[in-house]
Amino acid sequence: MTTSHELTSPSRRVILAAPLVLPAVVGGTSSGSALAGPRPASDTLVAFYSRTGNTRVIAGQIRRARGADLFEIRTVEPYPEDYEKTVEQARRETEASFEPALVTDALDIARYCTVFLGFPIWGQTAPPAIRSFLKAHAWAGKTIRPFVTHGGYGLGTSMAVLASHSRSARRAPPFAIEADQERRTLSRVTDWLGAA
Protein backbone atom coordinates (compact mmCIF):
# COMPACT_ATOMS: atom_id res chain seq x y z
CA MET A 1 0.00 0.00 0.00
CA THR A 2 1.32 3.47 -0.91
CA THR A 3 1.64 5.95 1.96
CA SER A 4 1.37 9.73 1.60
CA HIS A 5 5.11 9.92 2.36
CA GLU A 6 5.84 7.73 -0.69
CA LEU A 7 3.79 10.02 -2.92
CA THR A 8 5.42 13.27 -1.84
CA SER A 9 9.00 12.21 -1.23
CA PRO A 10 11.08 10.61 -4.03
CA SER A 11 12.60 7.32 -3.07
CA ARG A 12 16.34 6.78 -2.94
CA ARG A 13 16.02 4.40 -5.90
CA VAL A 14 14.32 7.11 -8.03
CA ILE A 15 16.99 9.68 -7.12
CA LEU A 16 19.82 7.27 -7.92
CA ALA A 17 18.23 6.23 -11.24
CA ALA A 18 17.61 9.80 -12.44
CA PRO A 19 21.11 10.32 -13.96
CA LEU A 20 20.56 7.23 -16.15
CA VAL A 21 17.77 8.98 -18.08
CA LEU A 22 20.03 11.70 -19.53
CA PRO A 23 22.09 9.47 -21.90
CA ALA A 24 18.95 8.41 -23.75
CA VAL A 25 18.33 12.03 -24.72
CA VAL A 26 21.96 12.92 -25.37
CA GLY A 27 22.54 9.84 -27.52
CA GLY A 28 20.31 11.22 -30.24
CA THR A 29 17.54 8.69 -29.86
CA SER A 30 14.20 10.39 -30.28
CA SER A 31 12.09 7.25 -30.19
CA GLY A 32 12.19 6.85 -26.43
CA SER A 33 14.36 3.74 -26.33
CA ALA A 34 16.79 3.86 -23.44
CA LEU A 35 20.51 3.44 -23.89
CA ALA A 36 22.97 2.00 -21.39
CA GLY A 37 25.23 5.04 -21.65
CA PRO A 38 26.32 7.81 -23.98
CA ARG A 39 27.32 6.75 -27.48
CA PRO A 40 29.63 8.52 -29.88
CA ALA A 41 27.80 10.65 -32.42
CA SER A 42 26.69 8.61 -35.41
CA ASP A 43 26.59 9.83 -39.00
CA THR A 44 23.79 7.35 -39.73
CA LEU A 45 20.12 7.89 -38.91
CA VAL A 46 17.26 5.42 -38.99
CA ALA A 47 14.04 7.41 -39.44
CA PHE A 48 10.79 5.49 -39.65
CA TYR A 49 7.02 5.79 -39.74
CA SER A 50 5.03 2.83 -38.46
CA ARG A 51 1.36 2.26 -37.74
CA THR A 52 1.23 -1.37 -36.65
CA GLY A 53 4.83 -1.89 -35.55
CA ASN A 54 6.18 -3.95 -38.49
CA THR A 55 8.37 -1.12 -39.77
CA ARG A 56 9.45 -0.26 -36.21
CA VAL A 57 10.86 -3.76 -35.72
CA ILE A 58 13.03 -3.45 -38.85
CA ALA A 59 14.13 0.05 -37.81
CA GLY A 60 15.31 -1.30 -34.47
CA GLN A 61 17.29 -4.06 -36.14
CA ILE A 62 19.01 -1.60 -38.51
CA ARG A 63 19.80 0.72 -35.61
CA ARG A 64 21.46 -2.07 -33.63
CA ALA A 65 23.39 -3.41 -36.61
CA ARG A 66 24.71 0.00 -37.69
CA GLY A 67 25.06 1.76 -34.32
CA ALA A 68 22.77 4.42 -35.78
CA ASP A 69 20.53 7.00 -34.19
CA LEU A 70 16.79 6.29 -34.23
CA PHE A 71 14.00 8.75 -35.01
CA GLU A 72 10.28 7.97 -35.15
CA ILE A 73 8.29 10.14 -37.55
CA ARG A 74 4.99 11.06 -35.88
CA THR A 75 2.06 13.18 -37.03
CA VAL A 76 0.71 15.92 -34.76
CA GLU A 77 -2.80 14.53 -35.29
CA PRO A 78 -2.62 10.75 -34.90
CA TYR A 79 -4.46 8.61 -37.40
CA PRO A 80 -7.59 6.80 -36.16
CA GLU A 81 -7.12 3.52 -34.32
CA ASP A 82 -9.71 1.97 -36.63
CA TYR A 83 -8.03 0.49 -39.71
CA GLU A 84 -10.82 1.31 -42.20
CA LYS A 85 -10.99 4.93 -41.02
CA THR A 86 -7.22 5.26 -41.41
CA VAL A 87 -7.39 3.82 -44.94
CA GLU A 88 -10.10 6.31 -45.91
CA GLN A 89 -8.29 9.28 -44.39
CA ALA A 90 -5.01 8.31 -46.06
CA ARG A 91 -6.78 7.95 -49.42
CA ARG A 92 -8.26 11.45 -49.14
CA GLU A 93 -4.93 12.93 -48.05
CA THR A 94 -3.01 11.23 -50.86
CA GLU A 95 -5.51 12.37 -53.50
CA ALA A 96 -5.24 15.95 -52.19
CA SER A 97 -1.40 15.76 -51.90
CA PHE A 98 -1.91 16.70 -48.26
CA GLU A 99 1.21 16.74 -46.08
CA PRO A 100 0.29 16.40 -42.40
CA ALA A 101 2.08 18.38 -39.70
CA LEU A 102 4.70 16.36 -37.89
CA VAL A 103 5.71 16.36 -34.25
CA THR A 104 8.79 18.57 -34.21
CA ASP A 105 11.55 16.90 -32.27
CA ALA A 106 15.03 18.40 -32.31
CA LEU A 107 16.30 16.44 -35.30
CA ASP A 108 19.49 17.89 -36.76
CA ILE A 109 19.51 15.99 -40.04
CA ALA A 110 22.49 18.02 -41.28
CA ARG A 111 24.86 15.85 -39.22
CA TYR A 112 23.88 12.61 -40.96
CA CYS A 113 25.42 11.27 -44.18
CA THR A 114 23.14 8.24 -44.51
CA VAL A 115 19.45 8.06 -43.64
CA PHE A 116 17.69 4.71 -43.57
CA LEU A 117 14.07 5.71 -44.19
CA GLY A 118 11.38 3.19 -43.28
CA PHE A 119 7.65 3.23 -43.93
CA PRO A 120 4.70 1.00 -44.84
CA ILE A 121 2.89 1.23 -48.17
CA TRP A 122 -0.48 2.93 -47.87
CA GLY A 123 -2.77 2.83 -50.90
CA GLN A 124 0.12 1.68 -53.12
CA THR A 125 2.33 4.64 -52.20
CA ALA A 126 4.26 6.23 -49.34
CA PRO A 127 2.15 7.52 -46.42
CA PRO A 128 1.45 11.28 -46.35
CA ALA A 129 3.74 11.62 -43.30
CA ILE A 130 6.71 10.54 -45.42
CA ARG A 131 6.05 13.34 -47.91
CA SER A 132 5.99 15.78 -44.97
CA PHE A 133 9.24 14.41 -43.55
CA LEU A 134 11.07 14.53 -46.89
CA LYS A 135 9.86 18.06 -47.60
CA ALA A 136 10.93 19.30 -44.14
CA HIS A 137 14.64 18.54 -44.60
CA ALA A 138 17.53 19.38 -46.93
CA TRP A 139 18.87 16.26 -48.67
CA ALA A 140 21.91 17.50 -50.61
CA GLY A 141 24.92 15.23 -50.09
CA LYS A 142 22.91 12.56 -48.24
CA THR A 143 22.13 8.97 -49.13
CA ILE A 144 18.63 7.68 -48.45
CA ARG A 145 18.32 3.93 -48.00
CA PRO A 146 14.61 3.08 -48.03
CA PHE A 147 13.15 0.06 -46.26
CA VAL A 148 9.52 -0.64 -46.91
CA THR A 149 6.86 -2.97 -45.53
CA HIS A 150 3.80 -3.81 -47.61
CA GLY A 151 0.80 -6.10 -47.59
CA GLY A 152 1.57 -7.91 -50.82
CA TYR A 153 1.23 -5.15 -53.41
CA GLY A 154 4.89 -4.17 -53.59
CA LEU A 155 6.38 -0.67 -53.65
CA GLY A 156 3.67 1.00 -55.72
CA THR A 157 4.64 4.61 -56.49
CA SER A 158 6.60 5.10 -53.26
CA MET A 159 9.99 5.38 -54.96
CA ALA A 160 8.62 8.09 -57.27
CA VAL A 161 7.50 9.98 -54.14
CA LEU A 162 11.02 9.71 -52.71
CA ALA A 163 12.54 10.88 -55.98
CA SER A 164 10.26 13.92 -56.25
CA HIS A 165 10.60 14.95 -52.59
CA SER A 166 14.36 14.42 -52.17
CA ARG A 167 15.78 15.36 -55.58
CA SER A 168 19.21 16.31 -54.26
CA ALA A 169 19.77 13.04 -52.35
CA ARG A 170 21.37 9.85 -53.54
CA ARG A 171 18.87 7.02 -53.22
CA ALA A 172 19.99 3.44 -52.72
CA PRO A 173 17.82 0.55 -53.98
CA PRO A 174 15.03 -0.16 -51.47
CA PHE A 175 14.62 -3.15 -49.21
CA ALA A 176 10.98 -4.29 -49.34
CA ILE A 177 9.28 -7.03 -47.39
CA GLU A 178 5.73 -8.29 -47.19
CA ALA A 179 4.52 -7.95 -43.62
CA ASP A 180 1.31 -9.13 -41.98
CA GLN A 181 -1.51 -7.34 -43.75
CA GLU A 182 -4.04 -5.77 -41.44
CA ARG A 183 -6.85 -5.86 -44.02
CA ARG A 184 -6.32 -9.61 -44.59
CA THR A 185 -6.33 -10.27 -40.85
CA LEU A 186 -9.54 -8.30 -40.31
CA SER A 187 -11.22 -10.09 -43.23
CA ARG A 188 -10.30 -13.51 -41.84
CA VAL A 189 -11.61 -12.59 -38.40
CA THR A 190 -14.87 -11.34 -39.95
CA ASP A 191 -15.25 -14.61 -41.90
CA TRP A 192 -14.56 -16.60 -38.74
CA LEU A 193 -17.10 -14.63 -36.72
CA GLY A 194 -19.71 -15.07 -39.50
CA ALA A 195 -19.25 -18.84 -39.42
CA ALA A 196 -19.93 -19.06 -35.68
Side-chain angles (χ1 to χ4, degrees), residues 53-189:
N54 290 324
T55 309
R56 179 180 287 110
V57 168
I58 298 169
Q61 185 174 354
I62 296 168
R63 176 193 172 272
R64 286 187 299 276
R66 293 298 173 102
D69 291 340
L70 189 67
F71 181 82
E72 182 170 6
I73 301 164
R74 294 176 291 140
T75 55
V76 170
E77 293 293 327
Y79 283 89
E81 289 289 325
D82 182 85
Y83 172 74
E84 296 296 338
K85 289 180 181 176
T86 295
V87 168
E88 179 56 27
Q89 182 177 333
R91 183 192 60 75
R92 288 192 312 268
E93 291 178 353
T94 299
E95 287 175 0
S97 297
F98 176 73
E99 294 169 353
L102 301 179
V103 174
T104 54
D105 289 323
L107 174 63
D108 180 14
I109 207 159
R111 64 187 274 259
Y112 298 105
C113 297
T114 301
V115 177
F116 286 86
L117 180 60
F119 55 89
I121 295 296
W122 283 14
Q124 299 185 26
T125 193
I130 293 300
R131 293 194 307 268
S132 296
F133 179 76
L134 290 168
K135 193 171 184 179
H137 299 287
W139 296 100
K142 301 191 184 311
T143 298
I144 297 176
R145 299 194 62 189
F147 59 99
V148 180
T149 57
H150 62 85
Y153 300 105
L155 295 170
T157 62
S158 62
M159 294 304 103
V161 170
L162 261 65
S164 67
H165 283 68
S166 61
R167 293 184 195 280
S168 57
R170 292 180 297 277
R171 285 172 301 282
F175 170 78
I177 188 168
E178 183 175 354
D180 290 337
Q181 187 183 33
E182 198 168 358
R183 181 188 304 264
R184 186 184 311 147
T185 301
L186 292 175
S187 175
R188 288 174 127 178
V189 172

